[in-house]
Amino acid sequence: MKLMRWQVAAVVAASLVFPLLVRSEYYQHVIILALIWVVIGSSWNLLAGYTGQVSFGHAIFFGIGAYTAGLCSYKLGVSAWWGMIFGGPVASLIGFVIGWICFRLRGPYFALATIAVGEIIRLIAVVWVSFTGGMQGILLMQTFRSKLPYYYLALFIALMCLLAIHVVMRSKWGYYFVAIREDEDAAESMGVNAFRYKSLSLIISSFFTGLAGAFYMNYMAFIDPEVVFSLHHISIMAILVGIIGGVGTLWGPPLGAFIMVLLQETFRSAFFGLAPRWVSELHVLAFGLLVIFVILYLANGIVGDWDKIRRLWSSKGPSAPGVVGKGS
Amino acid sequence: MGVFVQTVVAGILIGGIYALVGIGMTLIMGVMKIINLAHGQLMMVAMYITYVLYEYAHLDPYVALLVTMPALFVLGALIQRFLLNPLIRVEAILPENQVLMTVGIGMVLTEIARLIFHSDYKSVRPAYTSMSLYLGSIAFNLPMCIAFGIAVLLTIGLFVFLLKTDMGKSVRATAQNKEAALLLGINAERITVFTYGLGAALVAAAGTLLLPIYYLFPDLGGAFTLKAFVITILGGLGSTVGAIVGGVVLGISESLGATYVSMALKDAVGMVIFLLVLIFLPGGLKRLTKI
């Protein structure tokens, strides 16, 4: 599925006017959350979907970004908004160090190493009370009463992130990334310095994830280690968002992010009050079942297997070349 | 000195159960070449079955082994047959599809448990859980000793099975070289289904044995999945003997960490060892054994 220029413009225009049309703070909040997930999912996808390094540790960068912003106010007494400037670079730096440690491992071993590093960092954040405030977390005053400034900032970050990934993937770097994903040894033998480009991919990926974390700190005004360094709620969710939308596609993770957040909110509010109360406990379960379904039937995600879905839709069977199916 | 010996003893006893967790994982890794990220969650399911049997049928946890092991064997076999095997034939960008599927399975199992039992802590405490045997001044907690004993028996049973029976030999053959096994007429797909079931049954035994000395809540699965990795990596992937050593090493190091470092950093000890082994000792202790 390739989006046309006018379709991209339509998506951007719709997201620009959305909060002006929908005045409900609740819906604006849901979309802001979705936009944060767009950034996390897309960043994870750059490293895993395009470069083939499946990270189970993206909570590290999200948490580092959030804590950078939080500690600006907690330790330095300056505004947490400075985190928007420092969160990305600090997360990138940590990313570089982690890459230096973990990139000597391949495939599943790399994935396991990132889990281990993530858990170690989470435990450090819990135990080092004098520096991070430990399990008490960090609490701020929100800057704006209205959701609008947050909404447009989140939208700006998400669009920047997608644009950056788009530009990178059309450049020479992007081709190196995909070469490493497809066959690392072959790429090495063609003269691609795999370690350097894996690190590059991780640095870009962790930069945006850290930025999302810094924004999250400012928006939610509360963090603690169990929230932002969570293996299950951040690292694994980032993976699932990518899987549902489609790894290795630009529009997959954003779509996955919206599906994930909307599904969660739909269930959390028990279908907006239409269903019995106990339905609200099902939101993670529903998402888990969706993941299983997608992996079984749409191995490359909704965007990656878009043609498959469309064929079902038009129920014409496999479309032969030259035959113009419905909906194209 | 007394404290030190006591700590090591406790570590070894818990290590026996950890070994059982690790062996299940390592079997699955050896045959399917995948990391089973739902391993701890399978154990959690077995623990809930044990809990229900104790609470409503007053069945002793050790008798419940006879229920949980077959039950989890069936569950594991079904998962492999209907959720994991179909993925072998699927063309996907990321080769880790099966691993990601186990993530989804683990999530669903956890949430189902949460739905039925809610998030509060449960425990099973038969009368004998607080008893201890004394050797000099060192206490041996009775349920831990029983658990250790049963874990050892199950492990010996597994070894006899793997070394002596046709089915066991088929499992080993598939783990060593799938193509060759196929050529020699082994039905590899059936072996994978059997192996995942076996792995699930072993971790079910570990869970049931652990319940009298532990507590239970839905998110326990995730923590034990992590422990299972540490054990398997320590022992070297696919090595059953390694998993035993890895289990005991993890048990002792956690126990020492809790006593001498801090309770809060107990889990970090395992993770740090894990990372160091991953980086500096790839292959773990596999070199020492043929099994």
Side-chain angles (χ1 to χ4, degrees):
Chain A
M1 179 168 98
K2 293 245 358 125
L3 283 182
M4 300 288 162
R5 213 165 268 233
W6 67 267
Q7 287 171 310
V8 177
V11 168
V12 174
S15 49
L16 280 172
V17 298
F18 171 84
L20 305 174
L21 297 176
V22 181
R23 282 273 174 225
S24 152
E25 294 229 322
Y26 169 70
Y27 288 111
Q28 290 176 2
H29 170 73
V30 170
I31 303 295
I32 292 172
L33 284 185
L35 288 168
I36 292 175
W37 278 105
V38 167
V39 179
I40 302 172
S42 302
S43 305
W44 175 85
N45 181 44
L46 179 69
L47 183 64
Y50 285 124
T51 322
Q53 309 303 311
V54 181
S55 145
F56 277 76
H58 259 56
I60 300 168
F61 312 121
F62 186 76
I64 296 278
Y67 265 93
T68 305
L71 292 173
C72 277
S73 117
Y74 181 70
K75 283 285 171 202
L76 303 176
V78 295
S79 161
W81 288 106
W82 285 99
M84 302 298 293
I85 295 169
F86 296 119
V90 173
S92 275
L93 190 70
I94 302 276
F96 175 75
V97 174
I98 289 173
W100 187 79
I101 296 170
C102 295
F103 279 144
R104 55 195 76 197
L105 303 161
R106 287 206 189 171
Y109 294 92
F110 172 79
L112 289 177
T114 54
I115 293 185
V117 175
E119 287 298 289
I120 290 168
I121 291 183
R122 180 178 64 83
L123 288 161
I124 289 173
V126 170
V127 175
W128 195 1
V129 178
S130 62
F131 183 61
T132 62
M135 287 305 289
Q136 294 253 307
I138 296 177
L139 185 65
L140 301 174
M141 290 293 292
Q142 268 195 319
T143 317
F144 305 111
R145 299 270 314 266
S146 152
K147 297 261 186 242
L148 285 185
Y150 292 114
Y151 178 91
Y152 284 112
L153 189 56
L155 183 64
F156 177 72
I157 296 171
L159 290 176
M160 279 295 100
C161 175
L162 287 171
L163 185 68
I165 291 173
H166 177 69
V167 169
V168 164
M169 289 317 295
R170 284 184 54 185
S171 72
K172 199 164 60 173
W173 289 2
Y175 285 96
Y176 289 161
F177 291 169
V178 173
I180 290 168
R181 177 187 80 196
E182 293 301 322
D183 190 337
E184 198 172 317
D185 294 321
E188 279 271 8
S189 67
M190 299 295 283
V192 176
N193 182 338
F195 177 76
R196 178 188 300 167
Y197 287 101
K198 283 196 282 191
S199 297
L200 240 162
S201 175
L202 177 58
I203 285 168
I204 301 168
S205 176
S206 50
F207 177 87
F208 282 108
T209 314
L211 193 60
F215 173 79
Y216 180 90
M217 173 80 245
N218 280 292
Y219 176 57
M220 299 301 269
F222 174 76
I223 53 168
D224 74 29
E226 297 297 332
V227 173
V228 293
F229 284 116
S230 164
L231 173 66
H232 287 270
H233 300 286
I234 309 283
S235 295
I236 288 184
M237 270 305 172
I239 297 172
L240 301 181
V241 159
I243 293 282
I244 290 217
V247 292
T249 63
L250 182 65
W251 294 102
L255 181 69
F258 272 85
I259 290 175
M260 191 271 281
V261 173
L262 294 177
L263 190 79
Q264 285 211 347
E265 287 303 323
T266 308
F267 272 90
R268 207 195 299 270
S269 60
F271 292 91
F272 309 105
L274 300 174
R277 289 270 337 137
W278 56 267
V279 172
S280 62
E281 292 178 14
L282 294 177
H283 64 271
V284 185
L285 181 62
F287 190 64
L289 290 171
L290 180 67
V291 167
I292 290 180
F293 175 84
V294 166
I295 295 179
L296 266 181
Y297 297 105
L298 301 167
N300 294 314
I302 295 172
V303 172
D305 278 337
W306 185 246
D307 291 344
K308 217 191 233 180
I309 300 172
R310 220 173 50 185
R311 248 179 282 153
L312 283 177
W313 209 253
S314 57
S315 65
K316 287 229 167 123
S319 49
V323 176
V324 181
K326 232 174 23 188
S328 56
Chain B
M1 191 64 211
V3 174
F4 178 75
V5 176
Q6 181 72 67
T7 309
V8 171
V9 164
I12 291 173
L13 288 179
I14 200 87
I17 303 177
Y18 282 177
L20 218 46
V21 176
I23 289 176
M25 184 109 160
T26 212
L27 274 176
I28 293 171
M29 275 197 191
V31 173
M32 268 78 83
K33 310 286 181 260
I34 62 162
I35 307 165
N36 177 23
L37 280 163
H39 206 65
Q41 280 82 351
L42 290 169
M43 174 172 147
M44 181 263 314
V45 171
M47 287 168 98
Y48 271 110
I49 296 175
T50 313
Y51 167 78
V52 167
L53 289 173
Y54 180 77
E55 202 70 3
Y56 299 101
H58 304 294
L59 198 63
D60 191 273
Y62 301 119
V63 182
L65 274 179
L66 301 173
V67 182
T68 55
M69 288 182 73
L72 265 284
F73 181 90
V74 172
L75 178 66
L78 289 174
I79 287 174
Q80 180 68 34
R81 169 73 184 76
F82 292 104
L83 296 177
L84 295 173
N85 273 343
L87 298 181
I88 297 172
R89 290 179 290 276
V90 169
E91 275 298 312
I93 290 182
L94 290 180
E96 279 84 1
N97 249 11
Q98 285 184 311
V99 179
L100 297 166
M101 176 61 100
T102 61
V103 173
I105 294 166
M107 217 165 132
V108 168
L109 291 176
T110 303
E111 291 310 314
I112 291 175
R114 199 191 313 283
L115 195 68
I116 302 173
F117 298 99
H118 308 294
S119 288
D120 47 342
Y121 286 49
K122 307 249 189 281
S123 57
V124 165
R125 294 282 179 268
Y128 50 77
T129 44
S130 50
M131 294 182 193
S132 288
L133 309 166
Y134 287 93
L135 232 169
S137 63
I138 297 163
F140 289 84
N141 178 281
L142 185 66
M144 275 179 120
C145 290
I146 298 173
F148 184 81
I150 296 179
V152 170
L153 286 177
L154 281 170
T155 313
I156 292 170
L158 178 75
F159 272 85
V160 172
F161 166 79
L162 285 176
L163 292 171
K164 299 288 180 220
T165 64
D166 274 359
M167 192 71 178
K169 284 177 183 167
S170 310
V171 170
R172 276 164 50 220
T174 316
Q176 277 167 19
N177 188 334
K178 200 167 174 178
E179 280 71 28
L182 276 169
L183 290 172
L184 292 170
I186 292 173
N187 182 341
E189 203 148 301
R190 190 179 302 161
I191 293 292
T192 57
V193 171
F194 176 82
T195 309
Y196 201 98
L198 188 63
L202 287 168
V203 82
T208 305
L209 293 172
L210 202 59
L211 197 49
I213 36 187
Y214 223 75
Y215 44 89
L216 174 58
F217 57 104
D219 289 316
L220 181 87
F224 268 88
T225 299
L226 291 176
K227 282 198 210 302
F229 291 155
V230 179
I231 296 160
T232 0
I233 295 285
L234 275 177
L237 290 184
S239 157
T240 34
V241 175
I244 297 171
V245 179
V248 175
V249 168
L250 180 69
I252 293 175
S253 51
E254 272 191 2
S255 186
L256 288 172
T259 308
Y260 292 102
V261 185
S262 81
M263 216 43 203
L265 282 173
K266 190 180 91 168
D267 293 336
V269 172
M271 284 295 152
V272 170
I273 294 178
F274 175 59
L275 207 58
L276 292 176
V277 171
L278 260 181
I279 291 162
F280 296 110
L281 195 72
L285 304 155
K286 208 172 176 174
R287 304 273 166 270
L288 308 177
T289 166
K290 280 213 301 264
I291 300 169

